Amino acid sequence: PGKDYFTVKTSELKGPVKIEVFTSQGQTVISDAITNPSGHIEYSFTLANMPGGVYMVRLTAEDKVLVRKLILE
């Protein structure tokens, strides 16, 4: 659980990566794309203006999709 700021870290994805954060109802609140030639991602973002609850983070690369749950207090 967190209050405002979150960081997603992974070494599982290479190449262009789309990062999305969405609510439990499926509403996208963050959408970003990064290039990632090294395979190591460290992406920070804030949900300071969002209501508390469960959010999902989805990272999509050409060959893999990672989804993680986060809880905003």
Side-chain angles (χ1 to χ4, degrees):
K3 294 189 183 216
D4 292 331
Y5 295 96
F6 296 88
T7 300
V8 175
K9 297 179 184 181
T10 183
S11 298
E12 297 182 46
L13 303 173
K14 289 187 179 180
V17 177
K18 182 176 182 181
I19 300 170
E20 298 169 286
V21 179
F22 50 96
T23 67
S24 58
Q25 292 81 29
Q27 177 186 6
T28 301
V29 295
I30 295 174
S31 182
D32 201 358
I34 60 171
T35 55
N36 183 37
S38 70
H40 178 76
I41 294 172
E42 189 166 327
Y43 182 83
S44 297
F45 59 94
T46 181
L47 294 175
N49 296 322
M50 300 302 297
V54 176
Y55 292 81
M56 302 301 286
V57 180
R58 179 170 50 211
L59 294 91
T60 306
E62 290 182 8
D63 61 343
K64 190 179 265 190
V65 176
L66 299 177
V67 179
R68 301 290 184 259
K69 178 171 71 171
L70 61 89
I71 299 171
L72 178 63
E73 295 178 339

